[in-house]
Amino acid sequence: MEEETPVTVTTPPHTPSGTQPPRVPIRIVTGPAGAGAAAMPAPQPGEPGGHGEPGGHGEPGNSGNSGEPATTVRLEAISCWYGGFRAIRDVSLDIERRRITALIGPSGCGKSTLLRTMNRMNDLVPSFRLAGRVTFDGVDIYGRGVDPVVVRRRVGMVFQKPNPFPKSIYDNVAFGPRINGYRGKLDELVERSLRRAALWDEVKDKLRQSGLSLSGGQQQRLCIARTIATEPEVILMDEPCSALDPRATLQIEELMAELSRDYTIVIVTHNMQQAARASDTTIFITMGDDRAGYVVERGPTLRIFTNPEHRLTEDYVSGRFG
Amino acid sequence: MTAHPAGPVAAPAAAAPRFEPSLMRRKLAGTVFLGVCLLAVGLLLLTLAVLLWDILSRGVPWLDAQFLTSGPSRRAARAGVLPALVGSIEIALLVALITFPVGVAAAIYLEEYATDGRINRLLRTNISNLAGVPSIVYGIFGLALFVRGLGLGFTLLAGALTLSLLILPVVIIASMEALRAVPHAQREAAFALGGSRWQVVRGSVLPAAAPGILTGIILAMARAIGETAPLILVGAVTFVTFLPNPIASGYTVLPIQIFQWAGDPREDFQSLAAAAITVLLVLMFVLNALAIVIRARLSRHLTW
C-alpha cells in the first residue's frame, strides 16, 4: 500500500469551501480533516497532525495534509459474536484516509459485520458482542462516553438495497442535517449534497416528489446524497450496487472515485470486478471451519488481483472458490 | 440402458407419463373456486342490502330538521336525536383524545423500545386477551373505577374513559402491527445518519406507520361509537332532553337511544329507531371517509 501513488488532486473539489454557511454549530468542515472535534472526544495527544491544522479546514481536496495520519479507522484484534456464534475472529486492519478500501470474501464470512463495527450499527442487534478496539482518528469509538449517535454522523453508511425514506427528495437529504441540529442554510446544503452525489441535474425540478419515485440507481445516489449531507468523514458502503443494473452500478463507481477525494470509503462487495475497478486497497476475508471470518490478505488492489501472496486469495479472485 | 449413450434422453419417454395433462380439470377447479368466492361476496352484499333497505325505508321518512334538532319526547312526532347525537360525537372525540396518545405510546414502547424478553411477551399476550374481553365487563370495571372510585359519577367523561379502556387493546395491537410493517431498513437508514432512537422513531418510523395506525384507531372508534352495553352500566340514560356537559351531567348516546326506541311497542317509535340508526350509520360513514382521506394523504409517499 505504501508503494501506491497517493491520489493527487489538483483542482479543489467543488464542495464547499466558499459556500460554507456562516454559523454552523456542528462545525461543518467539508473534508475529513479535523471535523467533528466538537462532538467526539479529543484525539489522543500522540497525533498532532490533522486536527485543527490551520488551513486544513475547507480545503479537503489537498491530500497533501502531511501531518494528518494516513489511517482513519483502525480495527485492533476485533472479534464479534452474535449470541454464541462467533462471526469474526481476531481481525486487525487499517482504513486509509481518502482512499477506497474494498472488503471482499465469500458470503457469510463477516464482511458486513466488520463494516458495521466501524459505525456501531451492530449495537442495534441485541445479541451482538464485540471484543477488541475500533478507533477513529485515534479515539476508541466503543470507549466510555462515546455516543454511537455521534459516531454514526461522522461515519456514514449506504446500504445494500436503496432505502430512501418515504418522504420527498428534499426531505430525504435534509433528514440528517435536521436531526443533527444543522443551522445553516438547508436549501444550499441539500443542493450541494445532491450535486456531490451526481443527482442534482436529474432531480432539481422535482425536489418535492417522493424519493421512492426515483429509479433504483437514482435512489441509491439519493441515499449517498443523504449520507453526505451530514458531512461524514468516512462512508461505509454495504454492497451498494447489488440491487442495481450495470449502468447504474458504473455511475455509482464513478461517484465513489469522485467522492474519495474528500471522503474515506469502505465498500463491501461480492462483485470482484467492482473491487478491482473501483478500489485502491483490497482486503480479502474468508472464514474458518467454525465459520468465523478472518483477514487473509490485504494490499493494493492491483496486487491482490494480479499477484496475491496467499493461496486462498488467489483461488477466490480467480473464481475457483467462493 | 444406463450405459447407452442415448439412455438419459430416451428413458423418460419410455417410462409412464409423469404429468397429468388434463387442463380441463385444472381450469374447472379454478372456476369452481371463483364461484364460491363470488357466492360469499354476494351473500354478504345481499344481507347488507336487505338490512339497509329495511332501515332506510322506515327511517328516512322520519328524518327531518325537527328530528335532528330536538330531544326525545313522549310523542313520536316531536321526538329527536339531538342529545344522543351530540353525546355520541362528544364521546367519540374524548375517546380519540384519550386512546390516541396512550395507545400509540404503548405500541411504540412495545415495538421500538422494549427488548424481546419474557415480560414483554407476557404484556403482548395480555393485551391481545384484553381485546377479547366482553364489553360488559369493561362496563362493570368502569363503574367501579371511574364512576365510584374516582368519583366521576354518571358523567359522559366516565363513559368516555370506559370506552377508551375498551378499545385501547385494539388500538395498541393495530399500531404495533403498523410499526412492525415498517421495513427494518428504514430504521437503519435513520440510525446511520446519526439519529437517536427517538429521532428514528419520530422522523422515520412513525410517518411510515401513520396510515396503518390511523386506520386502526378509526376502526376502533367506530366500535366505540356503536357500543351500548358498558355505557348502560356507567350511567348513560335514555331520556335526556338537554345537551350533555362532559363532566357535570347525565348523557345519552345514539345506540342507547336506538335501544330504547326499538323496545317501544308503538310502531312510530320503532320507526324513530330506524331513523336514529340511519343517523348513526351516516356518522360512521363520515368517520370512515375521513379515515380514508387522511390515510390517502399520509401514504402519498409510501410505495414500498
Side-chain angles (χ1 to χ4, degrees):
Chain A
M1 31 203 137
E2 289 77 15
E3 62 268 5
E4 255 195 356
T5 0
V7 189
T8 40
V9 179
T10 41
T11 48
H14 28 241
T15 11
S17 28
T19 53
Q20 201 170 328
R23 299 165 13 255
V24 193
I26 48 170
R27 279 185 74 195
I28 305 290
V29 174
T30 51
M40 293 270 287
Q44 261 138 55
E47 289 163 321
H51 297 276
E53 194 182 33
H57 287 256
E59 299 197 313
N62 298 337
S63 38
N65 284 345
S66 46
E68 200 174 62
T71 299
T72 49
V73 180
R74 166 173 283 161
L75 271 52
E76 294 167 29
I78 291 297
S79 291
C80 301
W81 290 264
Y82 293 109
F85 168 63
R86 186 176 201 163
I88 296 289
R89 175 186 303 284
D90 199 27
V91 166
S92 296
L93 52 86
D94 296 342
I95 304 296
E96 292 160 298
R97 194 181 296 278
R98 264 169 256 142
R99 295 291 184 84
I100 302 177
T101 304
L103 302 179
I104 61 170
S107 295
C109 72
K111 303 183 294 291
S112 293
T113 298
L114 217 48
L115 194 72
R116 284 157 173 263
T117 60
M118 298 182 201
N119 67 343
R120 295 190 60 172
M121 279 304 274
N122 278 330
D123 289 21
L124 302 172
V125 180
S127 64
F128 179 77
R129 201 156 53 81
L130 176 123
R133 239 166 79 93
V134 182
T135 62
F136 177 66
D137 285 353
V139 177
D140 184 351
I141 63 168
Y142 286 85
R144 215 174 251 269
V146 177
D147 194 323
V149 165
V150 177
V151 174
R152 292 188 199 118
R153 186 185 74 71
R154 296 181 61 196
V155 184
M157 189 161 200
V158 176
F159 297 86
Q160 182 169 0
K161 194 168 164 263
N163 56 355
F165 298 121
K167 301 169 186 280
S168 71
I169 292 168
Y170 184 95
D171 287 340
N172 260 282
V173 182
F175 186 90
R178 279 181 180 144
I179 60 174
N180 286 293
Y182 181 77
R183 286 203 233 135
K185 292 208 173 85
L186 205 51
D187 288 0
E188 284 174 15
L189 180 64
V190 168
E191 175 173 348
R192 196 192 324 149
S193 305
L194 283 168
R195 280 191 192 281
R196 207 73 183 80
L199 189 61
W200 174 252
D201 291 335
E202 291 157 66
V203 301
K204 62 174 179 237
D205 299 322
K206 46 178 182 179
L207 292 174
R208 294 289 156 200
Q209 282 182 29
S210 169
L212 290 161
S213 66
L214 300 172
S215 73
Q218 288 174 324
Q219 286 189 15
Q220 196 61 300
R221 275 178 285 149
L222 177 61
C223 292
I224 291 174
R226 183 175 71 181
T227 301
I228 293 172
T230 63
E231 313 264 356
E233 290 150 65
V234 180
I235 302 176
L236 308 176
M237 297 183 160
D238 192 353
E239 296 184 49
C241 302
S242 63
L244 305 182
D245 65 43
R247 216 178 90 86
T249 299
L250 200 66
Q251 278 178 318
I252 300 277
E253 286 174 13
E254 284 168 358
L255 178 58
M256 280 164 50
E258 170 66 30
L259 290 174
S260 67
R261 290 176 179 184
D262 301 333
Y263 302 95
T264 304
I265 297 178
V266 187
I267 177 174
V268 162
T269 180
H270 265 123
N271 180 336
M272 274 180 285
Q273 284 82 11
Q274 181 166 59
R277 275 193 307 260
S279 71
D280 303 309
T281 304
T282 297
I283 298 171
F284 174 59
I285 301 163
T286 191
M287 52 191 165
D289 296 332
D290 58 351
R291 308 202 21 159
Y294 63 96
V295 172
V296 177
E297 192 170 351
R298 172 193 196 285
T301 297
L302 189 65
R303 188 184 63 67
I304 292 283
F305 279 90
T306 55
N307 188 20
E309 281 166 5
H310 204 290
R311 176 65 195 276
L312 285 170
T313 315
E314 190 180 342
D315 285 354
Y316 186 77
V317 299
S318 60
R320 256 174 297 187
F321 153 70
Chain B
M1 182 156 125
T2 45
H4 199 274
V9 183
R18 288 189 216 188
F19 292 98
E20 166 61 59
S22 170
L23 211 54
M24 273 281 286
R25 198 184 305 169
R26 284 192 268 161
K27 284 190 169 167
L28 189 68
T31 314
V32 169
F33 182 69
L34 179 66
V36 170
C37 293
L38 283 177
L39 200 72
V41 173
L43 220 65
L44 203 73
L45 285 178
L46 192 73
T47 318
L48 188 68
V50 168
L51 206 73
L52 276 180
W53 173 248
D54 186 44
I55 290 165
L56 294 180
S57 63
R58 293 179 64 181
V60 169
W62 288 84
L63 272 182
D64 52 20
Q66 186 270 331
F67 182 73
L68 290 176
T69 52
S70 43
S73 162
R74 274 190 206 99
R75 287 165 44 205
R78 289 180 50 188
V81 284
L82 185 63
L85 180 61
V86 173
S88 272
I89 291 173
E90 276 183 19
I91 278 220
L93 288 178
L94 273 175
V95 167
L97 277 177
I98 296 163
T99 51
F100 181 75
V102 178
V104 174
I108 288 175
Y109 172 75
L110 287 171
E111 273 303 312
E112 304 292 328
Y113 286 85
T115 47
D116 194 29
R118 189 177 295 171
I119 296 174
N120 189 13
R121 254 172 294 169
L122 200 73
L123 274 176
R124 284 166 200 243
T125 315
N126 274 311
I127 289 170
S128 305
N129 287 342
L130 281 178
V133 170
S135 59
I136 191 81
V137 176
Y138 282 96
I140 297 169
F141 182 73
L143 179 67
L145 180 65
F146 300 124
V147 178
R148 302 259 165 78
L150 297 179
L152 292 176
F154 291 125
T155 56
L156 192 132
L157 182 63
L161 285 168
T162 307
L163 285 185
S164 298
L165 276 190
L166 172 73
I167 67 166
L168 255 179
V170 183
V171 171
I172 293 173
I173 290 169
S175 303
M176 282 171 68
E177 293 292 338
L179 290 170
R180 207 173 306 154
V182 176
H184 189 62
Q186 291 291 313
R187 295 180 179 84
E188 286 201 320
F191 273 120
L193 292 169
S196 66
R197 189 168 283 273
W198 163 239
Q199 286 175 321
V200 171
V201 170
R202 168 73 193 79
S204 167
V205 181
L206 264 188
I213 291 176
L214 225 91
T215 309
I217 287 176
I218 302 260
L219 287 178
M221 294 274 302
R223 186 177 165 201
I225 290 180
E227 199 57 68
T228 326
L231 289 181
I232 293 175
L233 280 171
V234 295
V237 279
T238 49
F239 200 89
V240 176
T241 52
F242 47 87
L243 297 186
N245 172 343
I247 51 167
S249 64
Y251 64 101
T252 190
V253 289
L254 279 169
I256 286 185
Q257 190 67 68
I258 292 164
F259 175 66
Q260 192 229 346
W261 279 337
D264 197 299
R266 287 165 290 180
E267 183 110 354
D268 279 355
F269 280 95
Q270 288 176 13
S271 298
L272 278 182
I277 290 171
T278 313
V279 173
L280 185 59
L281 282 177
V282 169
L283 190 63
M284 295 229 184
F285 179 78
V286 168
L287 211 66
N288 279 325
L290 198 73
I292 291 169
V293 170
I294 296 175
R295 191 190 162 91
R297 281 189 65 97
L298 286 178
S299 54
R300 232 174 340 154
H301 289 319
L302 297 177
T303 47
W304 57 70

